[in-house]
Amino acid sequence: MAMLADRRRMNAPPGGTSPPVFASLPEAKLTKPIRTRNPDEHRKIFLRTGVVPSASGSAYYEISPSNTPRQTLVPSSSSLKITCTVHGPRPLPRNAAFSSNLLLTTHVKFAPFATRQRRGYVRDSSERDLGVHLETALRGVVIGDRWPKSGCEVVITVLEGEEDGWWADAEEGGKAGSWGMMNVLAGCITVASAAIADAGVDCVDLVSGGVAALTAERNGEGVLDPCPSEHDIKAACVVGYLQSRDEVTEMWMKGDAGSGSEALIDNAVKAAVLTRTVLAEAVKEATEMKIGKTSEAAVETTNTGKGKTKDIQMTG
Amino acid sequence: MANDAETGPGLTFPQDTFAKLTPRPYLLAHLKHKTPVRPNGRQQNEFRQPTINTGSLTHSNGSAVVRVGDTAVVCGVRGEILLASDIPHPPSDDLEEQDLVEELGLVVPNLELSTGCSPAHIPGNPPTSLAQSLSYRISAVLHDSHCINPDDLRINYTEPKTEDDLPDEPPKEVTKAYWTLYIDILCLALDGNAFDAALLAVTAALRDTTLPKAWWDPDRESILCSPVVSDSRSLRLSTMPVASSFAVFSTASHLKKREEAQSWILADADGFEEELCDETLTVVLNSGPSTGSGTTSILKIEKTGGTYIGKDVTDLCVRQASKRTSDIKTALGNR
Amino acid sequence: MAPYTNIPLSPAELSYLHTSLAQDPPIRPDGRSPTQFRPLVAETDILPSANGSARICFADGTEAVVGVKAEVERTGRKGGLVRGKEDGEVEGEERGEDGWLDVSIEIPGTRDDDALPVFLAAMLTEALLADGELKGRLVIGRVWHWRLFVDILLLSQPLSYPLPLLSLTTHLALLSTRLPALISQKDEDPLFNDDWEASTHLFPRQPTTNEPETKPPITLLVMTVGTNILFDPSSDEIAVADAIVAISATEDSKDGGLKMVALRTVDPPSRLTSAGVPTQANTTAGGGLSAEETLKLREKDAGATVWRPPRGGVSRTVLGRMIKKVVEKGGVGEEVLEGLRGVKS
């Protein structure tokens, strides 16, 4: 692939490299994976906050990989892994104009090894677009007017993304793409929400992301949390949903839904409700741990002479 | 601060506040005890224990996630194919075999710090000089240690016999392409000493790497690979470089006499300590079969930032690094 | 505040606008009905050197020009799977790739990695690629394909979200795009006919009526204030929107009506405006609340009588109503397409 030489990074050998092309050998039984879950069942999610102690808030989101052993060298489906750090609310630089609301900036970056095609280090338009979607989802839920003259950075790194379809189909020309991006966006919304809660920024509610799709196989029956390599997707929808207010802060729908668009939106909301239970659980656990630590410290400072958490006297 | 007769009433703070307000006196107070201990509870020569997980990324040929204290680094190794016909300046025949990897640029490591791993590294800026120098140092270690055998990266093709060949001549083997390894290192959380963690992640990921079986298809005039898992082979590292970094905390200042300065060596400095230390020393030891059955040799000693570290201190640090290397080898071997 | 939103309206003006738009029926500043569009001037084939072009001027002075150019390109190999000869030759149509359509938007005063051009380009690209037919028509053979460059230029200052303008102009430009006729056979290097009269339309025309068989989609901006749904919002109305949605729709070849192909929520700029201060809380105006009352006002939104930036999102029922209004028979979408049909080059 002909890459412009980036002066600040180590570059590919001159002459360019290309990704490996696999031959379809008879002993490699290449079968397209099929969905074994129910249509309204979500894959298992692992969500934990507080993974980066030096940031104000952080969270790690992972969809557990399937237990089937690898048949071929190229995996048939990926398991989403996203990490998010929140730095803020921090004061804006001196020369910035006055802002009476919190200025939220989002950065989304795929790691180079996140997708089947290796990505570069410079952000491309699809990553910026994800950043815009994420900002829309988060702006609605953050109470900005309590933080004037402040900025908050939400940084998302996607360690492993979802593919747009089964890899062996890729040679026969593309199907309508970007279904993988929708799953990534749903994950990003959930993990950013957890990280923002961990950072202690005021929010109206927890926003959770959910994806639903209409597939060709099921003729109009929707599926929740579609894995693009398992389905032939005709239309899909991602929502960022606030459960306590029954409102949608962000919605992205693509494809030919026809008359089923309302049902598709409802399915996506159902998926968001499922992820919200995981989100709420993780945030609750983290908060309980934090409260436990501060109450411990409060107790110990009252009985001085306990060693580590003793207050220090500074003189001179 | 030096004259410590109590001049007036003091202020009382919890530990965290003291550390934030006056980090140098805080660290100094810890190290000045009869038995010096660091704020994070470690001894002066104690390294943090690493946690290593490999093979968790599905799209890489090899991957590793390393956690050293609060520093977390993930490394993915991807193999792509460089056709010999695409190489603009083919290597000359008298090039040493072990220099081939560096000459053709078959190993491309990159360390990315702008991932929000700490408040100082927010994305949106091009790589800082720290990130660039770390990438270069890792590249230098990988090339100088000759840990990757160029034979593992070759894709050969046995040319069929033509009528012009003599009947007794063995068939000619030609290298049609090479595997290029893209080593992408991302720092997820930074709490000091990125270099050691990054090099450990690279070594672990390379040991986990498997490359598919590849051959030259004369009809298509391109390289084809087999997707069958049993046909793939692991990359064998002939040596294993391990880095150990030390930082020097010193009370020296241009306002005091040089003899009055006190200095302490801190192994594996964390983020708080790194900010307060100017002088650092990194020792990279190489061990493996090619260096003579199980022995360790010094690959690199890098020292910057001050004059405290002399011959004796370097000797002490190399011994500590040697112990660290054997601990790391055990940790990697027991994955 | 102006620096981050470019909305030069005070909290009192914002509150006035919001209240008048929330009435039943809504009172719009220029007196239009909720589904009435502003008049526009459109023309196509204005650029002789481009494969297709169009220009639209809206009544508020915003103007856009779109040029479409096509280039022949070699189909690269991307990795993946290759079927061996034992499986037989791969027959059947070649399907196109998404990367063959390149949409670039230039808006004066913004860099190309700012949020606005990025989101506009993404929205337009995904609408065009939604039904998968366009890229199928870009295939020439197994080795060669057309690469379509759609260059959109906004000629006036962006008065917030020029999405419908750019989308309608792109629609017209693509409808007028012609590709040279292919003379060479299947897998040879492509050779085209010199004669421009022999060129074929990218969106082929029916032989009898000379109407296009399929059309590219159009994208409309829809906003809500309270329970009212408004179309073609002006920049003042966008400043007080509770929610803004961009909906792309195209003609349904089976049904005859319209079907939605893409939908996206847009972040309303009203979220970055500053809130007004009620007289009760304004100490200089003789008011002044106790700490408890201020806390109640802040935390519980109690006694909100002045403009506050909206919080939360849009309800699902309202979204459903918005979609219906665009795609229903005799709805706004059909009206717009009808209006564009009469554009002459």
Side-chain angles (χ1 to χ4, degrees), chain A residues 22 24 97 100-101 117 128-129 133 139-140 146 171 174 177 246-248 250-253 255-256 262 266, chain C residues 4 78 80-82 98 122 126 259-265 267 271-274 298 312-314 316 324:
Chain A
F22 291 92
S24 132
S100 53
N101 296 307
Q117 288 284 102
R128 288 185 210 277
D129 191 37
H133 276 295
R139 279 259 193 90
R146 295 197 188 155
E171 220 272 323
D246 190 25
E247 286 177 351
V248 166
E250 149 74 14
M251 185 154 90
W252 184 23
M253 178 150 49
D256 185 3
E262 283 221 39
D266 285 336
Chain C
Y4 293 104
K78 261 180 131 187
L81 192 68
V82 146
D98 285 349
E126 73 189 16
K259 62 177 178 181
M260 183 181 67
V261 290
L263 183 152
R264 215 182 224 249
T265 45
D267 194 27
R271 291 203 210 272
L272 281 180
T273 52
S274 17
R298 242 177 55 136
V314 59
R316 281 186 279 164
K324 266 209 193 53

Side-chain angles (χ1 to χ4, degrees), chain C residues 255-307:
Chain C
D255 236 346
L258 285 187
K259 62 177 178 181
M260 183 181 67
V261 290
L263 183 152
R264 215 182 224 249
T265 45
V266 175
D267 194 27
S270 46
R271 291 203 210 272
L272 281 180
T273 52
S274 17
V277 180
T279 323
Q280 299 173 279
N282 190 350
T283 46
T284 57
L289 299 174
S290 71
E292 196 189 308
E293 288 166 334
T294 323
L295 194 66
K296 203 153 67 158
L297 193 67
R298 242 177 55 136
E299 302 289 321
K300 310 271 187 220
D301 281 352
T305 52
V306 292
W307 168 252

Side-chain angles (χ1 to χ4, degrees), chain A residues 181-193:
Chain A
M181 282 294 196
M182 299 186 124
N183 277 312
V184 173
L185 178 60
C188 287
I189 295 177
T190 312
V191 73
S193 184

Side-chain angles (χ1 to χ4, degrees), chain A residues 17 73 115 121 160 308 312, chain B residues 13 15 58 78 182 184 227:
Chain A
T17 57
L73 213 54
T115 50
Y121 280 100
E160 196 173 309
K308 277 218 161 167
I312 300 184
Chain B
F13 295 113
Q15 298 231 347
T58 38
R78 260 285 181 71
Y182 287 94
D184 299 301

